[in-house]
Amino acid sequence: PKTKETHHLAYSIVSESLAQGYDPLLVAAIIKSESTFNRKARSRVGATGLMQLRPSTGKYISTLSRIDW
């Protein structure tokens, strides 16, 4: 159900934001502005996801952070 998805997303935003040292309200505001919380959002220039990252940016940041893209 949507409520379960919403709860999971809210939990993820708070826990991941705090783990990375960011204000969860700022992260939520960016997500609202970029994708209106649509996980499948895609821009005409290829940016995808909640925060509308371009694949090249995601790959670059993942390399710096040593995480899988």
Side-chain angles (χ1 to χ4, degrees):
K2 277 278 193 209
T3 305
K4 194 170 188 173
E5 286 179 32
T6 302
H7 177 75
H8 178 70
L9 179 57
Y11 180 84
S12 294
I13 290 170
V14 172
S15 63
E16 292 299 322
S17 297
L18 294 175
Q20 299 302 320
Y22 294 104
D23 180 344
L25 294 177
L26 173 63
V27 173
I30 292 168
I31 292 170
K32 183 178 187 291
S33 175
E34 293 295 325
S35 68
T36 59
F37 295 94
N38 176 2
R39 293 175 189 262
K40 296 180 181 180
R42 184 173 179 91
S43 75
R44 55 179 141 50
V45 296
T48 62
L50 294 171
M51 296 183 80
Q52 290 293 283
L53 288 177
R54 286 178 142 183
S56 59
T57 304
K59 289 174 188 171
Y60 174 72
I61 297 299
S62 69
T63 300
L64 290 178
S65 303
R66 295 187 175 138
I67 58 175
D68 291 333
W69 171 244

